[in-house]
């Protein structure tokens, strides 16, 4: 990043170079030649740094909180903000005052200049010199206005940026400290919303705030001058202004009301879109696109109706703003004439100019200040509520350098949210202790995440933690494992081997430098789990807390616990080198559901419903007769009904949404700088009969008003409907695109199209476009009228227009890139926040809060660089445009004096008034056209997503028979499969047959192609070769016809926000009785009956008020309801306890007896009773036979996998395999006898 030019010695804001931004010229030259990149941006100024600003505001806030606690009052965040920023912001008020004073004085100079022409005397040289002085005054005031206006706007926007950056720093810092109780009171979506929408109010309010006091002062000054000029008639015009103020304020309030309703509907739509994108694989497999499309379309329809209402309001507001000048001038001079006064050119143009100066402040800036201030107060209140949430109590578990103690965890009479627990874990003399627990809650308490009410909890030593839900953050695999630690190659290699990641690194394209996305999209579930474990192992900690880290890895990888007890087994297996190998001399506390790991434990602690029911070694517990399986029903299994205590909801047990509403309007609305078009009529009143003239003017004014209002409303209507059409097309395109698109595009990028870009299309673009058209037409009108009166005005105008057009093109080249950089540098801020909230427990366990805060500050500084560039480039352009207009005013003013013999006073007034008007209007029009062009990038981005590659049609002309498939025969004929045309082949030339009603287990190492087989069957990407189901070639029928006829229980159970009924039956195809029966089958009926509204209860975000096991049972209930002949179970029991696993297996055996069932599983005991087992290795079939036959081959992968489960488990598995073989033989024998009898009968 370049060093900022302002950072050089001797340069400051006061220099001429800084005023007109000459230092930006090299950047514009680069931008004109090539695309700007992040390296071209200037380094953020030290005083704008996120850490510096954030810590300054944080210290004041902390002081305020302490003081408020002493005074027994709530702390005031507004007071803190004022205390921090009032001095530099108050100084900027001087700029506003100077600008508004000049705006009032300029019409006086103009009037004096016109008076010279009214009383023109060729011989009076003194009057000529005086006129030259007034002309110089008009020109000079125009030039000063050009500089002060843009200096003011730049500095107030920079102040707004500082406030936003400081507040974002505080919000993120607070998010890292939130306690479990506080996490129950907020959501990821809400925190993202604070960071995207609420803090933006600081950018907006700082622009207008000074007009709260400048506005009334200016109005009083103008009223005084008008009284001098036209007497009491001015009161009529001011009365119209006074009436307009509350009218526009009322419009503003109504607009805010509609805006809040729209925001709620937008939140709802974005949340639904978040769920759709997160669960798109499941939606496609279930063929649920249509009900979700209907859901989103309904929310969007309601949202558009509110947007249309607010757009009409905005249209009326804009039309009234432009009509105001016509009404004011018409009423003022009608009364002035009726009172018997005579009109002169100087009087008319001075009055019109004064009205124009005050009208902008009174009808636009002042109401905007009131509106933005009220919006900011609401946002500050929301942020304050968040900042006052409970924080986690930090405890110091480390040792002092001089201390040489042994690490330990001691618990006595501990009450957290269960009864007393007395236990001392890890006795001082025994360092190589492995303790197994059956509840995550105790682990939460040791980590400090779950506060304890009573009892003693002493932890001596540094903790590290591996979470149950594997957490990876965006970056390389190496950065995920090192997690801020230095790279020691030997230790790193050792950890990779211990966690069985070595082979994975060889298979990945860039090894451990492979980038993983928002959700670790390039890694399988098992790989993410092992990266998660490797992160914990690489740390030099004293105590290792492992929360079921092996739930997502297969038997081959999870067997290491038994290796400690059965050293005769292969020593190269991953876990033998990890938890019982590389960590063997460290205290380890493991939470697990998997009974096969218990033998390796030195100590087992069993908790049930808050009571410690058993404790001891494996052999001690066996002798005591404890039935482990019956104790493994986790306390998390009970649903958390709405209204129940939220304290038990923790970041780990809730699936946090990736993104919520990220709707951030990056372009601050610039403010109209000029005056408005002037009516021509009054200058020629003396030429017509008064009555006829008045009627003509009245009709003209009326027609202008009617057409103005009609045009505004019609244009808003057309533009909002266009936005609706584009949204619908994009959403339909997203639903029809292959799954691969969602794997390579982070969720934030997709949601950005539906939040920020659609937000621009809905609100910002229509307003800007209408404004641009309105001003463009006015500019043409102004030039046409001026040229008809004084044709020579076109001479300086032609070169000026040419320079304008070149400058606009030159500016747009760079401006587009700056806007793009601003957009791309904002995304990492939200991705980092979302990712941090998902891995909150891990970050805190590793004491990495400061590092993550620094990373956040770095992302904020990067965004500040682009935002700062956006501010200064906008002002660079505006200063030059206004400078050129000032030149035009100068040429016109002095040109009139040089041609004084040929022009009349009225013509001079008209020409000069229009020249001054054109100055503000022309630059605003050019900037608005540039803004429209910039906003069209949002349209381009949306259109890009309407033209995505589409998967095969949902229905084709070739429809399968209604009862298909009647048998469930699946045939793979030379099938190869890849997720993309240029991606690696993950299934290679596969030939296999799954017979009707057959139960087939599919096993293999992580990455062997098990889930890819399911993807090929469901055509998530188009496979090569042929797949037949009951003789029907699947590639010839529609995707919905295929997917609706197969049921799947997925690896990650997905529930959607909505009622339980909608989650089970989105198409409303089943009766209540069917739904209750399905819930009864999976033993969830009693759970659902306890919910407040039973089946109509709306589930929490991602179904987080159900445990993982219960969510899996809901997926099973869906499969029961569909009654299909083919069922696929994709590692569905990886994260559930043995009891739920047993329930799922029993239901499958009973309810799907007549179905073909394909089961992918890590736990071999769930598939050992299958009719046949398919063993995959590197995308190819290694073996495919009955379990018992496979176990006869001692060199086979399956035999090794069984042996690696431990001696006792292996014997049990072998016994089960024998029983299956005997049963199968008996069935075959029975079938043959039956067939023989049938044939005998036929003969």
């Amino acid at each position: 990043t370049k060093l900022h030019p302002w950072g050089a010695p001797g340069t400051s804001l006061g220099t001429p170079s800084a005023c007109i931004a000459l230092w930006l010229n090299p950047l514009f030259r680069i931008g004109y030649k090539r695309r700007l990149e992040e390296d071209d941006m200037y380094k953020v100024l030290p005083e704008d740094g996120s850490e510096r600003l954030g810590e300054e505001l944080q210290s004041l806030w902390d002081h305020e909180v302490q003081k408020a606690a002493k005074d027994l009052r709530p702390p005031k965040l507004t007071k803190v903000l004022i205390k921090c920023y009032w001095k530099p912001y108050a100084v900027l008020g001087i700029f506003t005052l100077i600008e508004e004073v000049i705006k009032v004085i300029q019409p006086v100079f103009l009037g004096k200049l016109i008076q010279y022409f009214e009383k023109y005397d060729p011989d009076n040289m003194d009057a000529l010199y005086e006129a030259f002085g007034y002309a110089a005054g008009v020109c000079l005031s125009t030039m000063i206005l050009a500089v002060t206006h843009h200096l003011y706007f730049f500095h107030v926007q920079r102040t707004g940026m500082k406030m936003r950056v400081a507040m974002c720093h505080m919000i993120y810092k607070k998010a890292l400290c939130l306690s479990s109780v506080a996490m129950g009171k907020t959501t990821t979506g809400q925190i993202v919303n604070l960071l995207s929408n609420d803090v933006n109010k600081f950018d907006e309010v700082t622009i207008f705030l000074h007009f709260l006091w400048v506005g009334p002062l200016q109005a009083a000054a103008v009223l005084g001058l008008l009284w001098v000029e036209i007497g009491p008639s001015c009161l009529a015009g001011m009365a119209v202004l006074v009436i307009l103020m509350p009218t526009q304020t009322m419009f503003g309030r109504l607009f805010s009301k509609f805006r809040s309703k729209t925001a709620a509907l937008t939140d709802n739509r974005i949340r639904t879109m978040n769920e759709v994108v997160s669960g798109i694989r499941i939606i496609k497999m279930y063929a649920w696109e249509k009900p979700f499309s209907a859901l989103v379309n309904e929310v969007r329809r309601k949202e558009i109706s509110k947007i249309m209402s607010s757009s009409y309001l905005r249209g009326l507001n804009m039309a009234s703003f432009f009509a105001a000048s016509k009404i004011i001038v018409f009423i003022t001079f009608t009364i002035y004439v009726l009172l018997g006064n005579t009109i002169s050119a100087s009087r008319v143009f001075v009055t019109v100019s004064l009205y124009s100066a005050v009208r902008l402040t009174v009808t636009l800036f002042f109401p905007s200040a009131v509106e933005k201030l009220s919006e900011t107060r609401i946002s500050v209140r929301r942020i304050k509520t968040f900042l006052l949430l409970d924080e986690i109590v930090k405890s110091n578990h480390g040792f002092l350098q001089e201390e040489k103690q042994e690490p330990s965890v001691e618990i006595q009479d501990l009450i957290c949210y269960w009864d007393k627990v007395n236990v001392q874990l890890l006795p001082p003399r025994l360092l190589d202790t492995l303790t197994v627990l059956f509840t995550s809650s105790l682990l939460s308490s040791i980590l400090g995440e779950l506060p304890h009410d009573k009892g003693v909890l002493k932890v001596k030593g540094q903790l590290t933690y591996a979470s149950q839900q594997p957490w990876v953050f965006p970056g390389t695999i190496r950065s995920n494992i090192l997690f801020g630690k230095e790279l020691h190659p030997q230790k790193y290699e050792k950890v990779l081997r211990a966690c069985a990641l070595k082979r994975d690194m060889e298979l990945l394209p860039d090894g451990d430098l492979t980038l993983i996305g928002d959700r670790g999209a390039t890694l399988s579930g098992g790989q993410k789990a092992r990266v998660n474990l490797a992160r914990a192992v690489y740390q030099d900690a004293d105590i290792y807390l492992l929360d079921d880290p092996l739930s997502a890895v297969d038997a081959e990888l999870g067997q290491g616990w038994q290796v400690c007890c059965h050293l005769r087994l292969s020593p190269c297996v991953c876990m033998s080198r990890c938890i019982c190998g590389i960590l063997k001399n460290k205290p380890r506390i493991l939470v697990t559901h998997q009974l096969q790991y218990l033998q390796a434990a030195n100590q087992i602690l069993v908790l049930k419903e808050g009571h410690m029911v058993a404790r001891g070694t494996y052999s001690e517990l066996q002798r005591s007769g404890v039935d482990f399986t019956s104790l493994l029903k986790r306390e998390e299994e009970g649903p958390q009904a709405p209204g129940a205590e939220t304290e038990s909801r923790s970041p780990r047990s809730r699936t946090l949404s990736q993104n919520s509403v990220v709707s951030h309007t990056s372009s601050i609305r610039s403010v109209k700088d000029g005056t408005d078009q002037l009516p021509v009529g009054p200058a020629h009143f003396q030429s017509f009969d008064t009555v006829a003239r008045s009627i003509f003017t009245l009709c003209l004014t009326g027609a202008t008003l009617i057409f103005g209002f009609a045009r505004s409303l019609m244009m808003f209507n057309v533009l909002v409907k266009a936005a609706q059409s584009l949204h619908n097309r994009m959403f339909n395109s997203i639903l029809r695109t292959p799954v691969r698109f969602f794997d390579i595009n982070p969720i934030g990028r997709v949601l950005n199209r539906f939040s920020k870009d659609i937000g621009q299309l809905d609100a910002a673009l229509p307003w800007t476009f209408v404004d641009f058209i309105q001003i463009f037409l006015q500019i043409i009108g102004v030039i046409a009228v001026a040229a008809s009166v004084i044709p020579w005005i076109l001479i300086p105008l032609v070169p000026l227009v040419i320079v304008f057009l070149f400058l606009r093109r030159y500016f747009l080249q760079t401006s587009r890139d700056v806007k793009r950089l601003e957009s791309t540098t904002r995304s990492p801020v939200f991705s980092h926040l979302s990712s941090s909230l998902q891995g909150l427990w891990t970050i805190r366990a590793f004491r990495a809060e400061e590092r993550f805060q620094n990373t956040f500050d770095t992302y904020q500084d990067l965004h500040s660089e682009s935002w700062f560039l956006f501010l200064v480039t906008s002002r660079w352009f505006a200063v030059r445009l206004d400078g050129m207009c000032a030149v035009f005013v100068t040429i016109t003013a002095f040109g009139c004096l040089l041609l004084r013999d040929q022009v009349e006073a009225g013509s001079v007034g008209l020409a000069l008034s229009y020249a001054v008007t054109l100055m503000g209007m022309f630059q605003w029009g050019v900037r608005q056209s540039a803004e429209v062009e910039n906003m069209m990038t949002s349209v381009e981005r949306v259109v890009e997503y309407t033209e995505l590659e589409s998967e095969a049609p949902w229905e084709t002309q070739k429809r399968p028979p209604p009862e298909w498939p009647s048998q469930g025969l699946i045939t793979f004929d030379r099938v190869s499969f890849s997720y993309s045309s240029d991606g690696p082949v993950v299934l290679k030339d596969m030939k296999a047959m799954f017979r009707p009603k057959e139960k087939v287990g599919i096993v293999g190492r992580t990455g062997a192609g098990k889930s890819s087989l399911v993807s090929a069957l469901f055509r998530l990407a188009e496979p090569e070769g042929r797949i037949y189901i009951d003789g029907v070639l699947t590639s010839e029928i529609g995707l919905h016809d295929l997917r609706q006829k197969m049921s799947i229980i997925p690896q990650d159970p997905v529930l959607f926000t909505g009622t339980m009924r909608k989650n089970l039956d989105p198409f409303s195809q089943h009766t209540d009785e069917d739904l209750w029966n399905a819930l009864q089958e999976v033993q969830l009926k009693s759970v659902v009956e306890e919910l407040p509204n039973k089946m109509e209860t709306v589930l929490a975000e991602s179904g987080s008020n159900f445990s993982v096991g219960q969510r899996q049972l809901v997926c099973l209930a869906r499969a029961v309801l569909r009654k299909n002949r083919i069922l696929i179970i994709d590692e569905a029991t990886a994260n559930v306890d043995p009891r739920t696993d047993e329930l799922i297996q029993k239901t499958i055996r009973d309810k799907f007896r007549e179905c073909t069932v394909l089961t992918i599983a890590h736990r071999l005991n769930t598939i050992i009773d299958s009719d046949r087992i398919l063993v995959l290795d590197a995308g190819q079939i290694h073996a495919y036979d009955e379990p018992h036959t496979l176990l006869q081959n001692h060199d086979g992968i399956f035999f090794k996998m069984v042996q690696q489960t431990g001696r006792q488990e292996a014997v049990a598995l072998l016994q089960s395999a024998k029983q299956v073989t005997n049963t199968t033989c008996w069935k075959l024998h029975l079938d043959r006898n039956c067939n023989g009898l049938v044939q005998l009968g036929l003969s």
Side-chain angles (χ1 to χ4, degrees), residues 24-217:
L24 273 176
N25 291 349
L27 184 83
F28 276 98
R29 280 197 288 273
I30 294 167
Y32 192 66
K33 290 174 187 172
R34 65 165 172 84
R35 184 184 168 104
L36 288 178
E37 301 298 338
E38 284 183 15
D39 292 342
D40 296 312
M41 297 195 301
Y42 296 112
K43 189 170 169 51
V44 72
L45 290 165
E47 61 265 31
D48 292 344
S50 174
E51 186 180 1
R52 178 170 168 177
L53 290 169
E55 289 305 318
E56 184 184 357
L57 192 62
Q58 183 73 57
S59 64
L60 288 170
W61 170 245
D62 292 341
H63 178 71
E64 168 66 15
V65 170
Q66 289 168 8
K67 194 176 176 189
K70 282 182 186 174
D71 300 345
L72 301 175
R73 60 171 176 84
K76 294 173 183 174
L77 184 57
T78 313
K79 183 180 171 184
V80 172
L81 284 166
I82 292 167
K83 190 175 180 181
C84 194
Y85 295 104
W86 79 270
K87 285 179 184 174
Y89 188 72
V91 172
L92 297 174
I94 298 166
F95 282 106
T96 325
L97 193 62
I98 292 168
E99 185 185 340
E100 298 309 322
V101 165
I102 291 170
K103 276 186 184 176
V104 172
I105 292 170
Q106 193 182 38
V108 177
F109 288 142
L110 185 67
K112 295 291 184 185
L113 187 59
I114 297 167
Q115 275 180 6
Y116 167 75
F117 286 95
E118 281 177 341
K119 302 169 184 175
Y120 179 58
D121 178 4
D123 302 324
N124 190 346
M125 297 308 289
D126 290 340
L128 178 64
Y129 297 143
E130 200 176 316
F132 271 111
Y134 290 130
V138 169
C139 302
L140 198 64
S141 60
T142 306
M143 288 175 181
I144 294 169
L145 269 179
V147 176
T148 55
H149 178 82
H150 298 299
L151 267 179
Y152 167 74
F153 266 74
F154 165 69
H155 284 298
V156 291
Q157 284 181 291
R158 189 166 165 230
T159 305
M161 178 188 84
K162 286 181 175 182
M163 292 170 81
R164 169 171 51 78
V165 166
M167 200 56 83
C168 286
H169 174 96
M170 282 175 65
I171 290 168
Y172 182 78
K173 191 170 187 176
K174 182 72 180 184
L176 290 180
C177 304
L178 289 178
S179 67
S180 300
V181 177
M183 284 303 291
K185 293 177 184 175
T186 186
T187 63
T188 310
Q190 188 187 357
I191 300 170
V192 170
N193 216 1
L194 291 177
L195 217 61
S196 61
N197 284 340
D198 289 293
V199 293
N200 289 344
K201 301 301 176 214
F202 298 119
D203 283 315
E204 296 168 9
V205 75
T206 48
I207 295 174
F208 299 106
L209 207 54
H210 279 302
F211 289 99
L212 285 174
W213 63 273
V214 169
L217 281 179

Side-chain angles (χ1 to χ4, degrees), residues 100 103 211-212 214-216 218-219 241 245 321 355-368:
E100 298 309 322
K103 276 186 184 176
F211 289 99
L212 285 174
V214 169
Q218 190 192 31
L241 266 180
M245 265 183 70
F321 177 80
Y355 272 137
S356 297
V358 76
R359 184 179 59 86
L360 202 66
T361 306
V362 170
T363 61
L364 185 71
F365 294 164
F366 187 82
S368 293

Side-chain angles (χ1 to χ4, degrees), residues 269-270 273 277 293 296-297 300 722-737 741-742 749-759 761 938-948:
R269 174 173 60 84
I270 300 298
M273 278 307 308
V277 177
S293 180
V296 171
N297 287 340
R300 179 66 178 160
Q724 184 180 17
S725 172
L726 279 170
H727 174 275
N728 292 347
R729 281 172 56 198
M730 177 167 71
F731 181 61
N732 290 333
S733 175
I734 283 282
L735 281 182
R736 288 178 180 272
T737 198
F741 171 82
F742 299 95
R749 188 181 300 164
V750 180
L751 285 179
N752 212 10
R753 296 288 201 284
F754 284 95
S755 54
K756 179 179 176 289
D757 291 319
I758 288 292
L761 266 65
S938 285
V939 178
E940 283 173 26
R941 281 157 60 88
V942 170
V943 169
E944 181 193 346
Y945 270 30
T946 63
E947 297 164 352
L948 295 173

Side-chain angles (χ1 to χ4, degrees), residues 645-683:
E645 284 207 65
T646 54
E647 282 84 354
S648 60
R649 291 178 62 184
S650 65
R652 186 191 60 76
S653 63
R654 290 165 57 229
T655 307
L656 296 170
S657 65
Q658 288 288 326
N659 229 326
S660 195
V661 185
V662 185
S663 171
H664 171 61
T665 309
S666 56
S667 162
I668 292 295
R669 185 177 72 184
S670 301
V671 180
K672 296 184 179 56
D673 312 17
T675 49
D676 200 7
Q677 181 180 343
L678 310 175
V680 182

